[in-house]
Amino acid sequence: MFEFTFHNPTKIIFGAGKESLIGSELNAAGIKRVLLVYGQNSVVKSGLLDRVMASLKASNIGCTQFGGVVSNPVLSHAREGVALAKRDQVEAILAVGGGSVLDEAKAIAVGALANEDLWQFFIGKEVERALPVFTILTIAATGSEMNGNSVVTNAETKQKYNISSPHVYPKVSILNPELTHSVPLNYTAYSAVDAIAHVIEGYFTKQPGTHLQDRLVEGIVKTVIDTTDLIMAEPTHAKARASFMWAATLALNGLTPAGIGPYSFPNHMIEHALSAIYNIPHGAGLSIVMPAWMKWYLPKNPGQFARFAKEIFGLDSGEAGIKALEQWFVAIKSPVRLGEVDIPAADIEAIAENAEGLAKQWGIGGLYPKASIGEILKLAV
């Protein structure tokens, strides 16, 4: 283990019907008015928005609604939310939805207290303050409910960049696994891929010798695989949905990389270029990138790939483990080739150039120059 500091300030309230507590939680925090951020119409059709509004009303919490967040949230819409938050002088941001909604809500929380344009914080300006964020999660995938990350896409520049700041950790996140029962199976598959990607980034790129953290990662990966298989057979499998939801949260709340030393996030770096340019689902992009990157990276850490193969799939070689993971992606109907999402091989150079820009921003440009990214993407053709 290496030196580390772990601090996660988010309060998790987990269980059926717990969204009814949001009013009292906001009241306890002294909040009198919120900007309620949500996506398209699913929270309206399901009745969730009405239940949330009833809870706010019961606690005398004023509310400005702001819907319309899309998958792969865009900067232009977040800017609209910032303007609305400033106009109505809200005291907190309440996100009701999946990871895209939570990410945009965090961006709005930063912009609401800033004089600068919101994008400045995504290209390097330090976040010094933000409105408090509260969340009610409806799709388990990104872990945004318990971390300090926010990702948005600048549609004009085709850049999908992030904020990472302790100021945007949610104060309270409510996780009712019953809200995820209606998530379509294709997005359940993409969510599973995303959760696995979150933990294997550090698992494969860290220094050796952190066995406890390896076991935590392996436990999360096996839980995600097992519960996803159950959900695919029975979408409303209550125990599987609950375990999946908590596993996805743990996958990116800072626990698994604590003490592993320096590591990198190359799969997400490359995928951000795919979804920035082509607006494909994030998890779908990751299931294309991950097997290709693993094949490319295998010679750099053969021992860890052999361990992964043995612990996750009971196989005896790194190559076999990569193949098994790729086949599992196929089994849950998540794409594994660029052509499956209509991305032509002729675009690889442009994708690699886009990804290289993010690699430089993340400080891994030396490890992932344009040529190396192109090599990885060619393995996904």
Side-chain angles (χ1 to χ4, degrees), residues 226-244:
D226 291 347
T227 54
T228 301
D229 287 342
L230 290 171
I231 292 165
M232 289 296 166
E234 183 184 338
T236 58
H237 194 300
K239 290 182 179 180
R241 286 287 188 182
S243 294
F244 182 101

Side-chain angles (χ1 to χ4, degrees), residues 239-360:
K239 290 182 179 180
R241 286 287 188 182
S243 294
F244 182 101
M245 192 176 212
W246 186 229
T249 299
L250 294 177
L252 199 61
N253 74 343
L255 179 63
T256 63
I260 68 173
Y263 66 98
S264 56
F265 248 58
N267 292 280
H268 279 73
M269 175 265 296
I270 297 171
E271 194 292 318
H272 280 193
L274 295 183
S275 49
I277 298 171
Y278 305 98
N279 196 31
I280 62 173
H282 177 54
L286 283 170
S287 62
I288 294 168
V289 171
M290 285 167 59
W293 175 84
M294 293 170 85
K295 294 168 189 175
W296 180 84
Y297 199 78
L298 172 62
K300 297 176 175 58
N301 197 355
Q304 192 72 344
F305 278 94
R307 173 176 178 143
F308 179 82
K310 179 181 178 181
E311 296 296 333
I312 304 301
F313 297 109
L315 299 172
D316 59 4
S317 73
E319 292 88 348
I322 296 169
K323 183 177 181 180
L325 182 63
E326 187 174 40
Q327 289 176 334
W328 186 72
F329 291 161
V330 172
I332 63 173
K333 296 182 172 58
S334 199
V336 295
R337 295 290 183 269
L338 292 170
E340 294 181 62
V341 291
D342 299 321
I343 298 176
D347 287 5
I348 284 177
E349 184 175 357
I351 299 167
E353 184 174 355
N354 184 298
E356 185 183 41
L358 185 55
K360 291 177 179 178

Side-chain angles (χ1 to χ4, degrees), residues 7-122:
H7 175 71
N8 193 309
T10 302
K11 176 181 178 180
I12 296 291
I13 302 176
F14 190 102
K18 296 300 184 180
E19 62 271 17
S20 64
L21 299 177
I22 189 60
S24 59
E25 289 294 324
L26 287 162
N27 188 55
I31 304 298
K32 299 301 181 185
R33 185 168 193 85
V34 300
L35 181 72
L36 195 164
V37 181
Y38 62 95
Q40 303 301 305
N41 292 320
S42 60
V43 298
V44 178
K45 292 178 180 178
S46 68
L48 175 59
L49 187 62
D50 287 341
R51 297 198 300 275
V52 171
M53 291 300 296
S55 179
L56 297 180
K57 183 177 180 180
S59 293
N60 296 314
I61 308 294
C63 176
T64 298
Q65 293 187 20
F66 181 60
V69 178
V70 296
S71 180
N72 295 319
V74 293
L75 175 65
S76 58
H77 193 259
R79 283 172 171 156
E80 292 176 17
V82 169
L84 194 57
K86 289 181 174 181
R87 187 198 74 184
D88 289 2
Q89 298 182 324
V90 303
E91 299 169 327
I93 310 297
L94 170 60
V96 181
S100 294
V101 172
L102 272 58
D103 278 12
E104 183 169 323
K106 292 177 181 180
I108 294 169
V110 171
L113 295 183
N115 295 319
E116 303 88 345
D117 178 67
L118 178 59
W119 186 242
Q120 294 301 310
F121 297 97
F122 287 89

